[in-house]
Amino acid sequence: MNMKIDSVEAADVQKIAGTMRSGGYRLVVMTCTPADEGYYITYSFEKETDLRHYRIAVAEGTTIPSIGSSYGGAFVYENEIHDLYGFTFEGMSLDFGGTFIKTSVPYPFKKKEQPAPTVTVVKEAKE
Amino acid sequence: MDIMFIVGAVLFLILAPILGGLLTGCDRVLTARFQSRVGPPLLQPFYDVAKLWHKEKAFSNPVEIIFTTAYLVLIAFSGAMLATGGNLLFVFFSLALAHTFLILAAYSANAPYAHIGAERELLSVMILEPILILFAAGCFLVTGSFDTYHMLIQDVPGIIYLPGVFIVFIAVLTLKLRKSPFDISTSHHAHQELVKGVTSSLSGRSLAKVEIAHWYEMMIFLSMILLFFAGYPVLSAVAIILVFLLEIVIDNIFPRVTWKMTVKSLWIVTLVFGVGNIVVLGILGGIV
Amino acid sequence: MTGRQTIIPFGPQHPVLPEPIHLDLVVEDERVVSAIPSIGYVHRGLESLVDRREYQDFVFLAERICGICSFTHSSTFCQGIEGLMGIQIPQRAAYLRTMWGEYSRLHSHLLWLGLFADSLGFESLFYQAWKIRESILDEMEATTGGRVIQGVCKVGGVRRDVANSFLSGMDDRLDEIEDNMKDLTNVFLNDYTLKKRLVGKGVLSKDDAYYLGAAGPTARGSGLDMDIRSTGYLAYGDVGFKPVVEKGGDGYARCAVRCRELFQSVEIIRRVITDMPEGDVFTPVKGNPDGEYFSRSEQPRGEVIHYLKGNGTKNLAQFRVRTPTLTNIPPLVSILAGCELADVPQIVLTIDPCIGCMER
Amino acid sequence: MYPPELIAILILLLVPVSAAVLLAVFKPDLVRNVLAGITSVIIIGASVFLAWKALIAPVSLTLEHTEWIGMLLFIAEIGVALVILGLSIKYRKILPLLLSVIQLILILILEFFGIAGPHAMTTFTVTGLSAVMVLIIGIIGTLICVYALGYMKDYHDHQIGVPVRKRYFFALMFLFLSAMFGLVLFNNLMWILCAWEVTTLCSFLLIGYSRTPEAMKNAFRAVWMNLIGGICFTLAIFFLLRINTPVNLLSVTDLLAFPNVSALTIPLAFIAVAGLTKAAQMPFSTWLTGAMVAPTPVSALLHSSTMVKAGVYLLVLFAPLFSQTWVGIFLALIGAFTFLATSALAISQSNAKKVLAYSTIANLGLITACAGIGTAEAIMAAILLIIFHAVAKALLFLCVGAVEHKIGSRDIEDMDGLLVRLPLLATMMVIGISGMYLAPFGMLISKWAALEAFLTAPLGYVFIAILAFGSAFTIFFWTKWLGKLFMRMNRPPAEKIALHISEKLSVIVMGVLVIGCCLGFPAIITGVIIPYLNGIHPYFYLGNKGFFYFDTLVMLGLMAFILLFLVIGAFLGSREGRTIAPYLGGRAVDSEGRFLGSLGVYKEAKTSNYYLEEYFGEKVLLKPSWVISGVLIIVMLVLGFMGVMIWI
Amino acid sequence: MSSASKSPWLLHYNASSCNGCDIEILAALTPVYDVERFGIINTGNPAHADIFVVTGGVNEQNKAVLKNIYDQIPEPKVVVAVGICASSGGVFRECYNISGGVDTIIPVDVYVPGCSVRPEALIEGIVKALGVLEEKRAAMEAKK
Amino acid sequence: MKMFKTILKQFFHTPATTTFPNTPLENFEGTRGHLVFDPSKCTSCMMCMKRCPSQAITVQRAEKIWTLDRFRCVMCGNCVDVCKFDALLMEREYAKSATPTERGVETYEITYVKPERPKKETAE
Ligand code: SF4
Ligand code: SF4
Ligand code: SF4
Ligand code: SF4
Ligand code: SF4
Ligand code: SF4
Ligand code: SF4
Ligand code: SF4
C-alpha cells in the first residue's frame, strides 16, 4: 500500500482533483491532521490499485477551495473537516453550515484556542 | 323487527370483541409459530387493551377522544346491524362513516406520520368502496333486496352466484385485517416508514378503542363470509376458519407493497372478478 | 407546487432506523421531492481519546467504533499499528483474523438481510434471517468469548487460539448454516413481490457509484469490481479471492451482492479452516509506533480506512477513521430523490448504513 | 280575481325582474340592502306558498292573451341573441359570434316560418318537480342574493383593480331568478326556450363581471357552450313541430302524455344535448369549472340553484320519455361517465371552488344518469339528489366564499385547523361536506336510491360498476378536505374579522336547511316525490312502499341519534389530559410549528393532502374524457335518429 | 401482576451507542429469544410505549431528542438504560461529545450492564423494569 | 410466495426459542461475562487501573482498597491480561441489572499480605 505523500499547493487542489477525475481516479478519503505548523489535509485518490496521496499544508482558518465540482461525494469529508477542525471550504456541493456533526465544543480537533475540555494536549502544538 | 333480532344484536355486541380478541391472539401465536417463535400468550390482546385502558390520558388533539369513540361505536353499530340481518348497503355506509372518524382522528393530530397514515387509510377506504357496493349489488341481484336477512334465507348459497365477488372479498380482507402485503396505513409492526400510521398519535384509551373496534371489524368481515355460505353452517364455519388461516399465511409470505401497488392490484382484481361477476349476473338477468 | 408538499422529519428516532439519522423528506403524494440527511447523532469523538489510551489498549476502543464490524475495526487498527511498527504477525493469527472477519461479514450480512426484509414489511423473513444469524453468533462466542464485541484482536496477533478440534467440527455446522441460507436467499432473490419492490428502485449508475465514492456492496451492486480483499491482505491472497459483482445498480442488485457474498464467505471460512497453519497466534510487541499509515480493509459495508499517526510515544498522535458508510452517503442522497416514500426505508437500507462507525 | 296560485306565480315571475330594474337604478348600499331584503322576503313567501299549494294538488293554469306574452318573450330572446352577438364582436370571439348568428336565424325561422300555431295550451303547470325547483330557486337563490350583499362589499375591498358595478351585478342576479322561475313554471317549450336563453345571458355576464381577461375568456367559453345547448333546444322544437299530430307537442304536459314515444327520439336526443350543456356534463364541463372566476355568490347560484339545475330539470322533466328509449340509456351513460370522470378529477384539485365545481358536475352526472334511466326509482333518486345537492352545495359555496375573505385563500391546503380559527364557518362547512357524502345525511340516501334504480335498469351492471368506482373517488376527495378542517393548529391563529351579517344569516339558514332536509327526507319522499311519480304517468305507479322500509328508518334514526350523542359528547366531554407534541421522529417543534431540519434550517412541520395528479390530474384525464363522452353523445344522436326503443 | 406488566411495549432509541447493544436488543426480538413471549412488542412510537430502552452515552444532539421522546411517552413509563454506555458513558465517557449516561438527561429506572449487553441480560433487566412499572402504575392509580 | 415453504417447515418444527429465564442460561466456555476479583491475590500494582480502557477500576494503594464500577466495566478482559498476579478473572455469567438504589461501586478490601512469602521459601 502506497504511503508516499506528495506535497502540493493549497490553491492547486481543484486542478489536481480535476486531473485525477479525468484520469479515472476515485476519491478515497480526505484526512486532516495537525502539523507542526498549521494542518495538513491529505487527499487520497485511487485507480484500481494505484493509490496516490496529495497533501496540502494550510494555516488555521484558511479557506480552502472545494473539490466538489470534480467529486460530488467530497462534501462529506469537507463538511466533517469544517466541523471538526474549523476550516471553511468554498463551493461545497452540499453545505451543511456547521451542522454535519454537531459537537458540544466547537471544532474539537482544532489546536490551541479552544481545545476540547477532554482533549488535553495535542503534542505538536507544544513544540 | 322481532325480539330475535335484538337478541342477535346484543349477542354480537358482547361476543364479537371477545371472539375478535381471541382470534387476534390465535393470529399472533400462529404467526409466531410460522416464524419459529413461541409467541405471546393467547390472551395477550386482552392484556394489551387492558393496559392501554389504564394509561395516562394523553392526546395530541382532544377531538381524537370523540373521534375514536365514534369509530368504535359506529363499527359496533354496523356489526349489530349486520347481526340483525339489516340492510347490507347500510352496514357499509355506516362502516364508511366509522372509518371517516378514524381518519379524522388521524388527521386531527396534524403530524406527518399520522397524516400519511390517514391518507393511506383513506386510500384503503377508497379501494374497498367499489367491492362493497358490488357485493351489495350482487346480493340485490340474487335476492332482490339489500337485506342480509334475505341472503341468509336463500336456498342456494350465495357463493354459487357470486364466486367472483367472493374472490375479491378475500383479497380485500387482507387489506381490512391490515395484513401484509396490504397493511399500508398502519404498519402493524411499526418497523416501516409509517410508525403505526393512522394510530401513531393515538395513545392509551383512544388506542384501546381503536383496537377493540378492529376486533369488531374483523368479526364483521369474517361473518360476512357467512352470507356466501348461508344455509350451510358447517361449511360456513370451515370457510371462515380457512379464510382466516389463509390470511395469516398470506401475511407471512408477502412483503408489504406500496400503496400504488395496492390500489392497482386490488382494483384490477375488483374489476376482473367483481365487476365481471356482476356483469354476468346482470346479463343472466339476476336471480329474481 | 409548494402548497402540496408534506415535510416529514424522518428520524432521528424512527423504528425503521435502529440508528439515529435524520432525513428531511419533502414529499408530494408520497413522491420524494428532496431528501437531505443530517447526521451527528452518534458522534462521540472517540478519535480524540488516542492521547489518553495506550495504543495497545486502544484496540478495545477501536472495536467499539461499531458493534457490528467490531472485529474488522479492531483488526484494521492492529494492522495499522503493525504496519507502523513493521511487525509481521504469525500466519495462524492472520488466518484466524480472516476467519473471524468472514464470520463477522456473515453475521453482518444476515443482520442486514433481516433488517432489509423488515423495512419491506416482511416480518417472517426478518425472523428467519436473524435466526440463522444466531448460529453465526454462537460460533463467534464459542471462539472469541463475545457475541458482537469479540475483543479478540491485539497488536501483534490475536488473544485466543482456537482448538483444531473445534475448527474441524465447524465444517458440519457450516453445512447446516449454508442450507438455511440457501432457503433464505432463495426468497430474497426469487420472490415475485420482493422483486417487484426492488428491481429498478434506487438505481445508482456505475459512473455515479465510482465518482460519488460508493464502497462495498453498494459499489459492487453497480458493477464496480472494488474490494480491498483483492489486495490480498491477511489470508485473502491465499484463498484466491474474487469480488462478487452485480450489474443492476438497483436495490435488487445490492441485495444480490450481499446474498452471494454470504456463500463466498462460507467458502473462504472453509478454505481457511482446512489450510489453517499451526503455530503461535501472537508475536510480542516492543516499542512504540511512529510515522503515518493508512490501514485499509474490507468491512461488510465496504472499504474502511484507519489513518494512524504515531510520534514514538505510547499514545498515537492522530487517529482518523474513514468508514464505508460515510462515503456511501453521497450516493444515497442521489438515489433517494424521486423515489416513493414507501421505498425510502429500503433505499436507505440498501447502502447498509452504519452510523456508529460513520460518526465515531 | 285571479286565483292565489296565479298571483304567486306572477309574483315570482315579475317581482325579481322589477327588483332588478330598481336595483339597476338605485346606487346607495342602504337602498339596495333594503330593496333586496324586501324582495327576498316576498320571493321566499310566494315560493313557499306556491309549492305548498302545488304539493296539495298539482297546479295548472291557463291564461288568455298568451300571444302577446309570447311576442314579448320572443323580443327578449332576440335581444339576448343580439347582446351576445354584440359582445362577441366587441371582444372578437369567432365561435360565440357564429353560434349566436345561427341561433338568431333559427329563432327567426321558428317565429316567422314555423308552424307554431297558437293551439290552446296550459300556460303554467306546477307539479311536484317544479315545486321542488321553485323552492330551491326561491329559498336558496334568494339566500345567495342576500349573502351577496355582504360578500360584494368585501369582494371589492379585496379585488382592487375590478371596477365596482354592484348595481349591474345585483340586477343580473335577480333577473336570473326570474328567468329560472319562468323556466320551471312555463308549460310552453317556446317560452321555456326563452327563459333558457336568458339564463345563458345572465350567467355569461356574471361570469365576466370582473372583466379581467381570464374572466372574459371563461365567460365566452360558457356562452358558446350554452349556445350549443340553445341551438339544440331550438332544433328539438323544430323536430317536434315536424311531427304530424293534432296534439300540441310544444306543451310539456301534452308532450309527456304523447303515446308514440318512438316518434320523439330525435327531439329527445336534442333536448338531451341541451340539458347536457347546461348541466355542464362531459364534454361541456369546462364552462362550469371556468365559471369560478366569478364572485362566489355567482358560482353558488350557478352551481346549486339555477343554471345547472335548469339543465337537469329539463332532463328529469322528460325522464319518463327517456326511460323508453335507448337515447335515455346513452344519456344515462354520459351522466354516469361524467360522474366517474369528474369525481376522479376532483381528487387532483386543491382549489376549494374547483373541487366544488367538479363535485357539482359529478352530482349532476348522477342526476343525468337517473334521468336517462327514467324509471320511477331513478326519478326519485334524481329529485332527491337535486334537493340535497342544492342545499349542501350552496352552503359549501357560501362558506368557501366567506372563508376566502377571512384567510385570503381558497386553497384547501390553507384551511388546516379551520375549526379552531373560524368555528362557525368551519362547522357549517363540516355540515355541508357531511351532507355531500356521509351517512346518514342526504346524498347518501340519494346514492342508495340511485343504486336501486340502476340495478333494475337495462345495462344496470355497467352503471353499478361506474357508481362503485365513482363513489370511491367521492369519498376520497371529501374526506381529505374534511380532515383538513379538524387539524390541530401548528401556527398561531389568524386575526379575527367579523363576518358580515348577511353572510352569517345566509350561511346559518342554509346550514339549518341542510340538516332539515336530511331529517325530513322521509317526508320529502312521501309528500313530494311519490305523489309526483304517481301523477305523471300511470305506469309509474309505485305504491306506498317506496324503497325504504320501516327498519331502515329506524336504523337511520339510530345512526343520527348516535351522531347527535357524539356531538353533544364533544361539547360536554372532559378534555382533561396531557397534550403531547405531535410525533416528529424525535424532533420537537417550536412555537411557530417549526422543527430543526437538515443543513441547520428550520422547517415547518407541514402536512398536505394527496392529489394523485399523475393519475387524476386534468392533464391526464380531461382529453380522454372529452373523447369518450363525445363519442357517447354522437352515438346518442345516431340512436335518436334511428329511433331505437327499449322493449320491455 | 396486572395488565401493565403483562403487556410492556418497548421503544428503543439509540442515543449514540456503537450499535453493539442495539443489535442485541433486536436480537432479543427474534426467534431464539422471542421477547413477545412476555407480551413485549417493539413499538417504535413513543405514544404507544411503556418502556423506554435507551442505549448509548447520549451525545450533544441526542439530548433534546431524548427529552422530547421521553415527554411523549404517556405515564406510567419506565426508562431502561441498556449497556455500559447508557449506564455511565462507558469507554466513551471521556469523549468530548458524550454526556456520560442516560441519567444525565432523563431519570433512569433500571440499568442493564453489558458491553454489549447479552439478550438474556436484557430480558432480565426488562423483567426488573416491569416491577418498577407496576409500582408506578399503582402510585398513579392511588393519586387518582 | 417463495416463503411458503419456509414458514411451513418452521410451523411443524419446534420453535427455536430458548426457555430462558425458566431454565438458566448456558454459556460457552470462555465467554466474557463479568469480572471477579480476588482480594487475597492483589498486590495493588495498579496495572489494571492504568490499562482499563474505561476506567472502571480504582486502586487506592495506601488504603488497600480496590473498587470496581460494574456499570463502567466493558468486560474487555484487558485487566485480566495485564494482572500479573491472577487477582482477576472473567466469569461466564453476565452481570445483573440494577435500579438506581441498587447500583453502586463494589469495594473490596485488599487482603493480600505482601513480602512474607519469598522469605518463607528461602527459609525452608
Ligand atoms: S401484527 Fe403486530 S401485533 Fe400482530 S403479531 Fe404481528 S407484531 Fe404482533
Ligand atoms: S449497525 Fe446500523 S444498520 Fe445495522 S442494525 Fe445497527 S443501526 Fe442498524
Ligand atoms: S460500517 Fe457499520 S458495521 Fe461496519 S464498522 Fe462501521 S458502523 Fe460498524
Ligand atoms: S378572497 Fe382572495 S381572491 Fe377573493 S377577493 Fe379576497 S383576496 Fe381576492
Ligand atoms: S455498551 Fe458497549 S456495546 Fe453497548 S453501545 Fe456501549 S460500547 Fe457499544
Ligand atoms: S488486580 Fe491485579 S493488576 Fe489490579 S492492582 Fe491488583 S494485582 Fe494489580
Ligand atoms: S506488572 Fe510487574 S513489571 Fe509491570 S509494573 Fe507491575 S511490577 Fe512492574
Ligand atoms: S474488563 Fe476491561 S473494562 Fe472491565 S475492568 Fe477490566 S479492563 Fe476495565
Side-chain angles (χ1 to χ4, degrees), chain B residues 28 31 188-189 251, chain C residues 123, chain E residues 36 41:
Chain B
R28 287 176 63 173
T31 301
H188 207 157
H189 278 276
D251 188 28
Chain C
E123 268 253 303
Chain E
E36 208 191 350
I41 291 180

Side-chain angles (χ1 to χ4, degrees), chain E:
Chain E
M1 278 229 299
S2 81
S3 57
S5 45
K6 277 185 181 161
S7 151
W9 290 0
L10 301 190
L11 173 69
H12 160 226
Y13 184 62
N14 169 334
S16 330
S17 92
C18 82
N19 283 339
C21 289
D22 306 272
I23 57 177
E24 291 292 53
I25 291 175
L26 279 179
L29 301 172
T30 55
V32 174
Y33 300 99
D34 188 30
V35 290
E36 208 191 350
R37 282 181 292 157
F38 314 105
I40 294 175
I41 291 180
N42 184 15
T43 67
N45 178 349
H48 299 182
D50 306 299
I51 299 189
F52 189 19
V53 174
V54 193
T55 58
V58 191
N59 77 358
E60 187 58 20
Q61 290 209 57
N62 275 325
K63 290 178 184 167
V65 179
L66 213 52
K67 267 198 215 109
N68 181 264
I69 298 174
Y70 181 74
D71 284 344
Q72 286 186 13
I73 303 177
E75 299 283 352
K77 58 188 163 195
V78 174
V79 178
V80 181
V82 169
I84 294 300
C85 287
S87 302
S88 66
V91 285
F92 310 117
R93 201 159 41 85
E94 289 180 304
C95 294
Y96 57 84
N97 219 24
I98 286 291
S99 69
V102 175
D103 49 9
T104 56
I105 312 295
I106 54 174
V108 171
D109 298 294
V110 176
Y111 300 89
V112 184
C115 180
S116 65
V117 74
R118 284 193 67 90
E120 288 91 352
L122 180 72
I123 293 173
E124 192 247 17
I126 299 281
V127 169
K128 181 163 263 177
L130 291 182
V132 182
L133 189 68
E134 197 54 48
E135 280 167 27
K136 287 198 175 180
R137 200 197 120 196
M140 211 175 97
E141 217 87 310
K143 221 160 90 191
K144 255 193 221 158

Side-chain angles (χ1 to χ4, degrees), chain F residues 38-84:
Chain F
D38 183 350
S40 64
K41 288 188 183 159
C42 171
T43 62
S44 333
C45 75
M46 315 255 280
M47 214 43 207
C48 52
M49 174 175 159
K50 268 188 222 144
R51 297 285 297 274
C52 170
S54 63
Q55 293 150 329
I57 301 176
T58 54
V59 185
Q60 285 154 282
R61 192 177 261 164
E63 288 86 356
K64 292 199 124 241
I65 286 177
W66 188 97
T67 66
L68 169 69
D69 185 348
R70 282 218 186 275
F71 292 86
R72 281 194 191 172
C73 169
V74 298
M75 277 67 96
C76 64
N78 200 28
C79 53
V80 180
D81 286 3
V82 297
C83 179
K84 296 280 189 299

Side-chain angles (χ1 to χ4, degrees), chain D residues 151 154-159 401 403-406 408-410:
Chain D
Y151 181 90
D154 282 349
Y155 178 80
H156 285 292
D157 294 347
H158 283 250
Q159 306 273 356
V403 166
E404 186 178 13
H405 280 157
K406 300 272 123 128
S409 161
R410 54 165 81 150

Side-chain angles (χ1 to χ4, degrees), chain D residues 212-235:
Chain D
T212 56
E214 197 200 354
M216 288 322 284
K217 198 180 107 216
N218 288 322
F220 274 107
R221 174 147 17 123
V223 85
W224 74 251
M225 285 190 175
N226 278 302
L227 276 176
I228 292 181
I231 292 172
C232 287
F233 202 134
T234 324
L235 286 176

